[in-house]
Amino acid sequence: MVFVNENFGESKLAERFGVTRYPAVFVGEVLVARPRDFGFFAAGETSGRYTPWRDPANHEKFTRDLARMIDLALAGRMEDLRLERGGDDEGATGDTSPATLPDLALVDLAGAPLTRADLAGRVVVVEFWATWCPPCRSTLGWLGTLAARHGDDLAVVALAVESDEAQVRSAAAGPPVRWAVATPEAALAFGDIVAVPTLFIFDRGGRQVFVSYGAPPDLHTRAGAVIDSLLEGTDR
């Protein structure tokens, strides 16, 4: 048995199964756990096999399940392993992110409604973040600079997950973006939010044109290029 830790962007196995985000766990070529099984940031979500992930009992359940899966693989019982995990999962974990900007139906920290209609006609960046996530602060600071530069042409929405509201309000004293605490419904509307930061970009028509999970080193460069291309022709 060999442990392999791969970059999803370079993993042929992940590509074959349509895995576009982490965490995903394979034993051999069987997908035994996928992002939605963990439901990290979807508070109140109970459909995942190991949700809520913060519950130590679910950590123990995952450890037991994984050990059993490995035992089956070592015994050469790969068909039993596939059957236990629901058969052929190829293509079952494709991108669940929204094709268009969901209707947020939130109230921001200033007490103002935050809906899709409030953002209409602008390029929209939505970042899911947490107060305990250092890369999130860096990205939000960068996005705040862009928001200040582009004015009404660019809307940046920062949706906090797994964070104390008082700490969110403290952070909101920084970059000039729309701040709100994400409801479970808002998180689920954006698909499997299993990493912070998770960043979405939508064009002026509300169509999704970019999504990034986590904080890869080139996130600001890639996202910045997308934002610039969408804002071409507007005054800066």
Side-chain angles (χ1 to χ4, degrees):
M1 181 68 66
V2 177
F3 174 78
V4 178
N5 183 8
E6 291 185 310
N7 181 332
F8 272 16
E10 300 173 354
S11 171
K12 295 301 182 183
L13 188 59
E15 180 181 353
R16 197 179 88 197
F17 279 81
V19 175
T20 58
R21 65 204 71 179
Y22 56 82
V25 180
F26 295 88
V27 174
E29 295 192 354
V30 177
L31 179 60
V32 300
R34 65 196 79 185
R36 66 172 177 262
D37 287 326
F38 300 96
F40 288 136
F41 306 119
E45 170 64 19
T46 59
S47 62
R49 188 177 289 118
Y50 307 115
T51 56
W53 182 244
R54 284 194 169 190
D55 186 342
N58 282 321
H59 292 197
E60 296 172 5
K61 180 180 179 182
F62 172 67
T63 300
R64 291 195 303 270
D65 285 354
L66 182 60
R68 186 172 67 256
M69 301 300 104
I70 291 173
D71 286 344
L72 287 172
L74 289 174
R77 297 169 57 189
M78 298 304 294
E79 188 58 33
D80 289 342
L81 177 53
R82 289 189 179 89
L83 290 173
E84 181 160 342
R85 275 306 182 242
D88 187 359
D89 272 332
E90 289 193 41
T93 60
D95 195 351
T96 60
S97 62
T100 58
L101 177 65
D103 195 352
L104 298 172
L106 295 171
V107 176
D108 69 16
L109 294 187
L114 179 53
T115 68
R116 181 172 54 203
D118 298 314
L119 304 172
R122 290 181 283 174
V123 174
V124 178
V125 180
V126 178
E127 175 168 321
F128 284 87
W129 70 288
T131 54
W132 43 262
C133 166
C136 297
R137 297 297 189 97
S138 172
T139 298
L140 284 169
W142 170 70
L143 289 172
T145 300
L146 292 182
R149 180 189 309 162
H150 296 295
D152 289 340
D153 288 320
L154 178 67
V156 178
V157 178
L159 299 181
V161 294
E162 290 195 344
S163 300
D164 178 76
E165 184 173 335
Q167 294 179 332
V168 175
R169 288 186 176 276
S170 178
V177 304
R178 296 288 299 274
W179 301 85
V181 176
T183 63
E185 294 77 15
L188 290 172
F190 282 82
D192 293 328
I193 304 299
V194 295
V196 287
T198 289
L199 188 146
F200 298 88
I201 302 175
F202 300 88
D203 68 14
R204 294 180 186 277
R207 294 177 291 274
Q208 186 212 116
V209 295
F210 179 89
V211 59
S212 177
Y213 303 96
D218 61 348
L219 172 59
H220 295 188
T221 300
R222 291 189 297 116
V226 172
I227 293 170
D228 285 344
S229 69
L230 293 174
L231 290 171
E232 283 181 0
T234 63
D235 293 332
R236 288 179 168 79

